[in-house]
Amino acid sequence: MDDVKVIFDQIPIRHDLASHIMLLGIVQGFFLAFVIFLRAKRKSAINLFGWSLLVQCLVFLDVYLCYTGLMKYIIQFNDSTEFLVLLITPTLYFFLYTLLERKPITFKKFWPHFLLPLFYVVSQFNYHTSPVEVKLNAYLSAYHRSLGFVDVPEGFDYSYHYIKDQFRWLVLFSFAFYLVLSLMLVIKTRKKGWTSSKNIKVDKYIFSRNTVIFFFVLMLTLFIIYLNYDDDGGDHIIGMIQTVTIFFTSFFILSESRFFEKSWIADKYETLANNSIQFETLEHFISESRYYSQQEISLKKVAEQLGTNGNTVSKLINSETGTNFNDYINQKRIALAKERLLDNEFKQLTVEAIGESVGFKSKSAFYNAFKKHTGQSPSAFMKQNRM
């Protein structure tokens, strides 16, 4: 035990620009996650993003403690967050899935995504229950080999190293796998109809695309660092990249905040709070009654039917779908038009007539909207899908 104390005393405490940058990102990330948990609904996409942020911050807090040498004060927790590294990409993917598919994440359906982290935790049980000498040597091996090592109890079982030595490749596999899944998800959403709203600065598609880019950049960084460092000495570089990412994310979230609206405290927003409705109510009314197929439909008329005001309906559609009112209505019209273009009951109607039957006032309006939301003309759609 005297040897352990001697080594502890020799481990330097390091505070430099890299450590300060990492600490900024960790504190900001924890704060952002706290705000998200406080404000977001439990099963919402943004709540899952909060969990992803929390996982990342716990991992990089470990990196920060190791890099600065502060880990020596809690050496029992060295490498305790390794399994969380294998949860970073799954939680980001869960966020994208919920955001783009508008479906909740359930353990019954998504349990296979937890197998790799669980497998790693089980494989490292012997390490996590090992004496302090083993964990100190693991830390010294990664950051301070020049200080030497301490003696460990005779006969200690190091079989956990068979898996631990492959940890880097497990991380790269996880990043590559979820990069592909996320890319497929974004491409699938694009094919279903990629629309954006001029009323919001950053829509869900842009945010999703940026998340996939982050996946790729981080995976490429990991690969380069793994090629140039034999131990954990390059982890602080990843930590600094994470800090930049967290602050960019904070910027995008703040950009959409009502706090920056010129009239955010005006009476009309107080009215919004008093006349708020659920999106499910709006969706049920629009879809079940096919109110969207009326040519004279307007934001004001929909609001009157629901007993609220236009601002409420507009903001509700923006926040739930990432589109404006016109795109929201046109998407439903196009979906109905696609059914009627292939339905034998409507084969006697011209393409223009079908467009009018779903709510478009002119042929050009129908063609433009159809191509925007499907990527092809009505005629091309019929030719491709009719047997």
Side-chain angles (χ1 to χ4, degrees):
M1 201 64 188
D2 290 339
D3 291 340
V4 172
K5 185 177 185 309
V6 170
I7 292 290
F8 274 165
D9 291 340
Q10 294 181 59
I11 295 175
I13 300 298
R14 173 172 51 180
H15 292 296
D16 54 20
L17 180 62
S19 68
H20 295 329
I21 292 175
M22 279 192 290
L23 185 59
L24 277 174
I26 292 166
V27 173
Q28 176 69 7
F30 277 127
F31 176 73
L32 193 56
F34 170 75
V35 172
I36 289 173
F37 292 146
L38 194 64
R39 298 298 303 275
K41 295 179 181 178
R42 188 171 63 87
K43 294 185 178 181
S44 66
I46 191 64
N47 188 65
L48 286 171
F49 185 69
W51 280 107
S52 182
L53 267 178
L54 181 61
V55 168
Q56 294 171 49
C57 289
L58 289 172
V59 168
F60 288 107
L61 177 60
D62 191 318
V63 173
Y64 171 80
L65 294 172
C66 288
Y67 179 80
T68 59
L70 295 173
M71 181 58 77
K72 69 179 183 179
Y73 297 116
I74 51 171
I75 197 65
Q76 296 85 351
F77 295 98
N78 183 56
D79 287 343
S80 60
T81 64
E82 280 186 330
F83 80 99
L84 290 178
V85 178
L86 298 172
L87 279 173
I88 291 177
T89 46
T91 52
L92 276 174
Y93 173 73
F94 294 160
F95 158 66
L96 288 178
Y97 180 89
T98 306
L99 180 69
L100 298 177
E101 293 288 338
R102 291 291 172 183
K103 297 177 182 177
I105 297 295
T106 59
F107 183 78
K108 182 179 180 180
K109 181 177 180 181
F110 289 88
W111 65 266
H113 295 271
F114 297 96
L115 287 180
L116 184 58
L118 180 61
F119 164 74
Y120 191 79
V121 167
V122 173
S123 73
Q124 300 304 295
F125 178 78
N126 199 34
Y127 171 77
H128 293 305
T129 58
S130 64
V132 67
E133 291 87 355
V134 174
K135 295 182 178 180
L136 176 58
N137 282 343
Y139 174 67
L140 293 172
S141 176
Y143 286 92
H144 299 288
R145 292 184 180 182
S146 61
L147 297 180
F149 302 96
V150 299
D151 294 331
V152 300
E154 188 175 347
F156 181 75
D157 182 10
Y158 285 98
S159 59
Y160 64 86
H161 262 293
Y162 288 119
I163 302 299
K164 194 177 185 69
D165 290 342
Q166 308 304 318
F167 177 69
R168 290 182 164 199
W169 304 113
L170 291 176
V171 173
L172 280 177
F173 167 78
S174 177
F175 271 76
F177 178 73
Y178 284 101
L179 172 64
V180 172
L181 284 186
S182 300
L183 188 59
M184 291 172 60
L185 185 61
V186 172
I187 292 174
K188 175 186 174 183
T189 307
R190 168 78 181 189
K191 289 181 178 179
K192 287 168 61 178
W194 187 300
T195 59
S196 61
S197 171
K198 296 179 180 178
N199 297 328
I200 54 177
K201 302 176 184 69
V202 183
D203 65 26
K204 63 181 180 179
Y205 303 106
I206 294 176
F207 201 91
S208 303
R209 181 200 63 194
N210 291 345
T211 302
V212 173
I213 293 174
F214 165 70
F215 263 135
F216 178 75
V217 171
L218 197 55
M219 187 181 72
L220 185 62
T221 304
L222 282 172
F223 185 70
I224 294 173
I225 288 175
Y226 287 173
L227 289 179
N228 288 276
Y229 292 88
D230 293 330
D231 48 37
D232 298 335
D235 286 359
H236 66 285
I237 300 174
I238 306 172
M240 290 190 289
I241 292 176
Q242 179 65 12
T243 294
V244 173
T245 303
I246 286 177
F247 273 89
F248 267 116
T249 303
S250 300
F251 172 79
F252 288 136
I253 291 176
L254 287 172
S255 294
E256 289 301 315
S257 173
R258 276 182 54 203
F259 184 83
F260 294 101
E261 295 180 6
K262 293 180 179 179
S263 55
W264 70 282
I265 203 169
D267 290 340
K268 65 177 182 179
Y269 289 110
E270 294 174 5
T271 304
L272 288 180
N274 295 330
N275 293 281
S276 60
I277 59 172
Q278 295 295 319
F279 180 74
E280 290 75 13
T281 302
L282 169 65
E283 178 74 10
H284 183 269
F285 167 71
I286 293 290
S287 299
E288 293 300 317
S289 66
R290 288 189 175 173
Y291 195 70
Y292 59 83
S293 63
Q294 296 187 19
Q295 292 188 358
E296 301 304 322
I297 189 174
S298 68
L299 185 60
K300 182 180 179 181
K301 289 183 177 180
V302 170
E304 289 175 350
Q305 290 290 329
L306 295 172
T308 183
N309 56 72
N311 286 319
T312 296
V313 174
S314 178
K315 291 176 74 67
L316 190 61
I317 291 173
N318 283 340
S319 64
E320 293 292 331
T321 69
T323 65
N324 59 30
F325 175 77
N326 289 333
D327 281 339
Y328 172 70
I329 295 299
N330 284 345
Q331 283 177 352
K332 295 188 175 298
R333 288 172 170 174
I334 295 303
L336 180 58
K338 287 165 69 175
E339 293 178 10
R340 292 183 175 180
L341 286 170
L342 303 178
D343 192 336
N344 288 331
E345 290 186 14
F346 294 89
K347 65 180 180 180
Q348 76 279 4
L349 297 181
T350 64
V351 172
E352 181 179 356
I354 287 179
E356 291 179 355
S357 73
V358 298
F360 290 99
K361 294 182 179 180
S362 67
K363 180 178 179 180
S364 61
F366 176 47
Y367 269 72
N368 290 337
F370 197 95
K371 192 163 187 179
K372 176 180 179 180
H373 292 285
T374 67
Q376 57 185 170
S377 67
S379 301
F381 171 79
M382 287 191 296
K383 184 177 180 180
Q384 179 180 337
N385 291 277
R386 276 185 173 171
M387 301 301 292

